[in-house]
Amino acid sequence: MRNAILLLTFFIVSIANAQIKGIEQRIDSVMSLMTLEEKVGQMIQVNGKFVITGPQMYDVDYEEQIKSGMVGSFLNAVGVDYTRDLQRIAVEETRLGIPLLFGFDVIHGWRTTSPVPIAESASWDMEVVENGARVAATEAAAAGQHWTFAPMVDIARDPRWGRIVEGAGEDPYLGSKIAAARVHGFQGDDLSATNTIAACAKHFAGYGAAEGGRDYNTADMSERTLRDIYLPPFKAAVDAGVQTFMTSLHELSGVPTAGNKFLLDQVLRKEWGFDGFVVSDHSALNEMINHGIVENQYDASVLSATAGCDMDMQSQAYFTHLKDAVQAGDVPIAKVNTSVRRILRIKFRMGLMDDPYLYCNKEREKNSMLTKEHLAIVRAAASKSCVLLKNENNILPISKKTKIIAVIGPLANAARDMNGSWRGQANNNDVVSLLAGIKNAVSSKTEILYHTGCGKKSDDKTVFQEALEMAKKADVVILAIGENGDQTGENRSKSNIGIPEIQIELAKEILKVNKNVATILFNGRPITMKWLADNMPSILEAWYPGTQGGNGVADVIFGDYNPSGKLPASFPIVVGQCPIYYNYKNTGRPIREGFKWQTKYLDVPNKPLYPFGYGLSYTSFEYSNLLVNKKEVHFKEELEVSVTLKNTGKYDGAEIVQLYVRDLFGSVTRPVKELKGFEKVMLKAGEEKVVTFKLTSDDLRFHNIDMDYVAEKGDFKVFVGGNSNDVIESEFKLIK
Ligand code: NOJ
């Protein structure tokens, strides 16, 4: 039996090797036919018509550029008909017929949308995350796409940065798990399957650390912080087999990333062995002139090509200058050859070199959108992404037998906003608003009253009174407020991250006439909401929940799903606390009760309003009996950390059990807590279970004083709990 397995393994490995070798040999033969110009052509990406996602600095006659062999890839070319037309030109009207690669920002869906990425991350459920990416890949691939510019794996510790919506929040460990799940969801196990697309880890790197949370702004940080906090999700994406990377639009510690040799060559290729290709962000090569690192577009093409940026998205720097730069000896031809090899490799892996029209199937395009299965997946995701922030008097769940429910608020019937930013090819008519979801959930015996209450942003209170009359009449009010869907995303940084004041005023008035208010928040970033937190009895964070948002959120409101989501990023009390994150350093003067000389604000606590990992359930959970199986653990041993979790409430429910450690003393200072494990545990009411985590010294590594990635011996604390703040603790010693 064993021999048979060995033989089989040998066979599989040999076939895989033969395929790999096969692709490399086929690349050799294609490249042996290519002129320098044709090679440069593969390194150029241009924007299709219809969708614009960045500054358009020139007009291109696409057809002519394709025919001359000077386009390797398109972004924003939508649909089977259009992509087929472009592909036909590349295949039939160029000398070598090398197919184009079509890329698009398929961020949280194509036609069917999942909750926005930060929302999905709040599920802490890798099945939810992976399935969401799979739905997106299936639909996008059916519409002619080969490649998504996702996942965005940038760590974001500052909610002023609007792009926090596109990622997994503030934590490198959670972010790494989510990065891997998204990559696998998009790419599956077979890139040439017609329901998978190549993924792209972006924006490499440190983009989430833009100063002041202002998009495209400078980030300056130590190499240690870069490696310990910002790089792990990128590394996880590489380990999960991600096929491409995208640079960012900002500069990292003095060097714009599109020309950053340290990142693109040293870290990504030499240290991590990445064999896919890197695309610049939109017009990033040109923008290096504004950054002040190159004087002109020629120098930009030289800097990027030599640094290891394989494809130029839309700046035409490679188109205009790369050939000359090679001929002048400013860019070694070997660099171009390597880049072209990387790009062709992905085209081969996608199956395009065998069938350029593999993804051009009208029938598939027609039948793959908004399928029952996709809708069920995103509906469940919308429920599992909800985070219950407060629930006094058990306002939630609301009984389906309630006689009169008033649904009030500018986000209650706002289909478009449910998709947040990066809507793919979503159509507002496909979206279930909260109001529609609530109506779907209850029988005709329940009367549903509805009013917008106010505009999303205006200060017009003229219709307040009508809404208040409804609130007075109702047994319970569902108040849907938040940011409109255009308030987060690229280029949507904000210095005030609160809900527009008019909506808070509406909330205040409503509470005066009816105490039974369930507040449902729709937003794409941590927001400031102190008044709501202090006064509203019940608050459910629903984010931007996607196509089936209304149904999924209604499932939570009426108790068909017991909320289990946890915040993937801290919610500050006031914006002045930003950047804010749970894994901060202790400092020499940490907070000490009754001691004057401490690191703190005069006017606000250091702690956030809601910490990382926070989220309630309709039931309650009790943590006890935290045990480590050894008080001293050797570097080569495994430590078991176990805890008893009991469902002490009346509902069945799932809890995300979180494990944190603190390395008490290091050759460099260490964070006060670091997430090192989590598990979603389902318990029936009254049930209890021992949950066990395993830790090894590998989990305790960091970049030490010599920048070696190692664990250091010494004392550790270990914490387990339902969020990063409320934990029980134990300790152990790591010994050599
Ligand atoms: C600029 C954004 O920064 C990037 O995330 C996106 O993929 C490109 N535009 C293409 O749309």
Side-chain angles (χ1 to χ4, degrees):
M1 179 66 186
R2 193 162 169 266
N3 279 347
I5 293 173
L6 276 179
L7 206 65
L8 188 69
T9 316
F10 173 76
F11 251 66
I12 294 170
V13 171
S14 319
I15 291 169
N17 283 341
Q19 275 170 354
I20 292 167
K21 223 170 137 200
I23 285 184
E24 296 307 312
Q25 279 166 352
R26 290 179 70 189
I27 296 173
D28 285 341
S29 18
V30 176
M31 286 186 57
S32 69
L33 303 173
M34 293 173 86
T35 61
L36 172 59
E37 220 167 8
E38 285 163 337
K39 287 178 181 171
V40 169
Q42 288 303 305
M43 298 171 67
I44 294 165
Q45 185 181 57
V46 296
N47 200 93
K49 43 185 180 184
F50 307 130
V51 186
I52 304 291
T53 53
Q56 303 300 297
M57 311 206 341
Y58 56 89
D59 270 338
V60 177
D61 182 340
Y62 302 112
E63 297 203 2
E64 281 315 305
Q65 196 170 328
I66 302 173
K67 282 182 199 162
S68 66
M70 291 305 278
V71 184
S73 172
F74 265 80
L75 79 151
N76 295 335
V78 174
V80 162
D81 287 337
Y82 182 42
T83 53
R84 178 185 277 279
D85 281 353
L86 296 172
Q87 194 69 298
R88 193 200 54 73
I89 303 174
V91 172
E92 292 178 17
E93 298 189 39
T94 65
R95 199 178 71 90
L96 294 176
I98 299 175
L100 299 163
L101 192 67
F102 294 108
F104 196 89
D105 291 286
V106 189
I107 305 299
H108 60 113
W110 182 257
R111 182 77 187 264
T112 307
T113 56
S114 301
V116 291
I118 195 169
E120 244 183 21
S121 307
S123 72
W124 293 52
D125 184 328
M126 296 312 117
E127 212 179 291
V128 165
V129 171
E130 185 163 339
N131 285 343
R134 182 139 305 147
V135 167
T138 305
E139 294 192 2
Q145 298 305 315
H146 308 140
W147 174 27
T148 174
F149 305 132
M152 187 194 95
V153 302
D154 293 307
I155 295 297
R157 295 169 148 189
D158 191 333
R160 287 175 296 180
W161 190 53
R163 302 200 78 170
I164 194 171
V165 66
E166 292 174 53
E170 75 186 40
D171 183 61
Y173 182 87
L174 178 63
S176 298
K177 297 286 175 207
I178 289 175
R182 289 210 165 111
V183 167
H184 194 247
F186 286 127
Q187 297 189 168
D189 296 318
D190 176 7
L191 258 190
S192 66
T194 50
N195 61 353
T196 60
I197 51 181
C200 178
K202 72 184 188 186
H203 307 82
F204 196 50
Y207 183 39
E211 275 172 14
R214 209 179 72 224
D215 208 5
Y216 316 130
N217 202 7
T218 306
D220 205 321
M221 66 177 80
S222 72
E223 187 180 334
R224 181 168 297 103
T225 299
L226 176 71
R227 287 184 182 271
D228 282 344
I229 304 293
Y230 290 89
L231 291 190
F234 287 100
K235 174 67 164 56
V238 171
D239 293 343
V242 73
Q243 295 294 301
T244 71
F245 262 55
M246 186 188 289
T247 72
S248 67
L249 293 165
H250 82 313
E251 67 151 87
L252 176 68
S253 307
V255 185
T257 58
N260 195 313
K261 196 165 174 210
F262 166 73
L263 284 174
L264 303 184
D265 195 45
Q266 172 61 29
V267 175
L268 185 58
R269 270 60 181 251
K270 296 209 171 82
E271 295 178 23
W272 297 352
F274 175 65
D275 77 350
F277 72 83
V278 175
V279 63
S280 76
D281 201 345
H282 201 292
S283 346
L285 271 64
N286 281 350
E287 290 170 16
M288 290 197 298
I289 303 170
N290 289 342
H291 278 292
I293 195 137
V294 288
E295 281 180 29
N296 52 45
Q297 209 187 34
Y298 179 94
D299 289 349
S301 79
V302 171
L303 184 62
S304 283
T306 46
C309 179
D310 306 303
M311 189 179 277
D312 170 3
M313 182 189 284
Q314 186 63 10
S315 78
Q316 294 287 68
Y318 285 173
F319 173 74
T320 321
H321 302 289
L322 189 51
K323 182 178 155 205
D324 293 347
V326 172
Q327 282 170 343
D330 290 329
V331 174
I333 182 67
K335 285 277 175 195
V336 169
N337 285 340
T338 307
S339 289
V340 174
R341 174 172 292 277
R342 291 172 182 147
I343 293 164
L344 291 179
R345 193 177 279 145
I346 307 307
K347 292 187 176 181
F348 271 108
R349 287 179 182 164
M350 292 294 304
L352 291 170
M353 301 298 274
D354 296 308
D355 178 1
Y357 304 107
L358 190 58
Y359 301 83
C360 296
N361 181 317
K362 278 299 274 178
E363 262 316 274
R364 203 163 50 230
E365 182 177 44
K366 199 166 130 228
N367 298 330
S368 304
M369 309 299 152
L370 301 164
T371 63
K372 241 176 150 181
E373 189 202 350
H374 291 180
L375 296 180
I377 288 173
V378 299
R379 176 177 181 153
S383 307
K384 291 177 182 174
S385 303
C386 285
V387 183
L388 184 63
L389 297 176
K390 186 174 175 189
N391 199 22
E392 271 173 6
N393 311 326
N394 296 327
I395 300 253
L396 288 172
I398 295 172
S399 163
K400 287 186 185 169
K401 293 195 181 124
T402 307
K403 287 214 177 81
I404 306 179
I405 301 176
V407 183
I408 298 176
L411 273 302
N413 195 22
R416 185 168 193 278
D417 296 297
M418 297 300 103
N419 281 326
S421 83
W422 295 114
R423 299 175 169 88
Q425 290 297 295
N427 182 331
N428 298 337
N429 297 328
D430 302 331
V431 176
V432 181
S433 70
L434 180 66
L435 179 64
I438 290 169
K439 285 184 176 162
N440 291 340
V442 297
S443 75
S444 55
K445 290 189 187 136
T446 300
E447 190 183 350
I448 304 289
L449 310 172
Y450 162 66
H451 205 288
T452 56
C454 62
K456 285 173 207 151
K457 284 194 286 194
S458 77
D459 50 11
D460 181 4
K461 293 186 188 168
T462 47
V463 291
F464 263 33
Q465 200 47 42
E466 291 167 19
L468 294 179
E469 292 308 322
M470 286 183 186
K472 270 187 217 160
K473 250 178 91 182
D475 299 299
V476 57
V477 177
I478 295 175
L479 177 67
I481 54 176
E483 293 186 309
N484 72 43
D486 291 334
Q487 292 294 294
T488 50
E490 185 182 348
N491 200 14
R492 290 164 188 165
S493 297
K494 289 172 81 174
S495 66
N496 174 358
I497 54 171
I499 293 174
E501 200 43 42
I502 181 85
Q503 299 189 38
I504 300 295
E505 285 180 37
L506 175 68
K508 286 180 183 168
E509 294 305 315
I510 284 182
L511 197 60
K512 285 183 196 157
V513 300
N514 193 331
K515 297 287 168 228
N516 290 332
V517 184
T519 307
I520 315 295
L521 296 176
F522 294 101
N523 49 283
R525 56 154 59 87
I527 49 173
T528 50
M529 45 178 283
K530 180 128 172 46
W531 186 88
L532 294 174
D534 288 346
N535 296 284
M536 281 300 183
S538 176
I539 305 172
L540 183 73
E541 173 57 80
W543 313 99
Y544 297 128
T547 305
Q548 280 286 304
N551 285 333
V553 176
D555 287 340
V556 175
I557 291 177
F558 294 104
D560 293 322
Y561 185 79
N562 183 355
S564 55
K566 301 278 186 178
L567 297 179
S570 311
F571 274 42
I573 302 169
V574 293
V575 73
Q577 291 176 303
C578 297
I580 185 163
Y581 45 94
Y582 81 95
N583 47 355
Y584 56 87
K585 301 288 188 69
N586 202 39
T587 80
R589 293 185 173 185
I591 297 273
R592 260 163 66 189
E593 207 50 58
F595 192 68
K596 181 177 171 197
W597 312 101
Q598 336 181 12
T599 172
K600 67 174 174 60
Y601 301 103
L602 282 180
D603 55 345
V604 69
N606 287 1
K607 284 199 184 332
L609 184 62
Y610 296 115
F612 173 80
Y614 177 85
L616 303 173
S617 162
Y618 295 153
T619 193
S620 48
F621 294 100
E622 187 183 275
Y623 288 79
S624 64
N625 219 14
L626 177 60
L627 296 172
V628 288
N629 71 334
K630 298 177 182 114
K631 280 290 171 193
E632 292 199 338
V633 54
H634 191 270
F635 263 69
K636 298 213 166 81
E637 289 175 336
E638 200 171 64
L639 177 74
E640 279 186 15
V641 183
S642 60
V643 70
T644 304
L645 179 73
K646 182 165 186 188
N647 180 342
T648 50
K650 293 200 196 104
Y651 294 84
D652 300 348
E655 167 76 332
I656 313 286
V657 181
Q658 299 157 44
L659 170 84
Y660 297 87
V661 299
R662 176 170 179 186
D663 185 349
L664 290 179
F665 301 97
S667 59
V668 294
T669 58
R670 310 288 298 118
V672 295
K673 266 182 203 135
E674 291 175 282
L675 183 70
K676 293 293 174 186
F678 60 87
E679 196 180 320
K680 186 171 181 178
V681 182
M682 182 71 207
L683 289 182
K684 297 220 168 309
E687 195 187 351
E688 70 174 37
K689 187 181 169 190
V690 175
V691 183
T692 304
F693 294 97
K694 293 186 171 152
L695 278 177
T696 69
S697 61
D698 279 356
D699 299 312
L700 305 173
R701 286 179 295 174
F702 63 100
H703 289 88
N704 74 0
I705 189 77
D706 301 317
M707 286 303 288
D708 294 326
Y709 189 51
V710 292
E712 291 180 345
K713 66 182 165 57
D715 292 325
F716 287 78
K717 279 194 176 180
V718 57
F719 314 88
V720 177
N723 67 64
S724 60
N725 192 46
D726 304 310
V727 287
I728 51 177
E729 62 179 77
S730 183
E731 65 280 313
F732 67 92
K733 193 186 270 291
L734 183 64
I735 54 169
K736 282 258 187 207

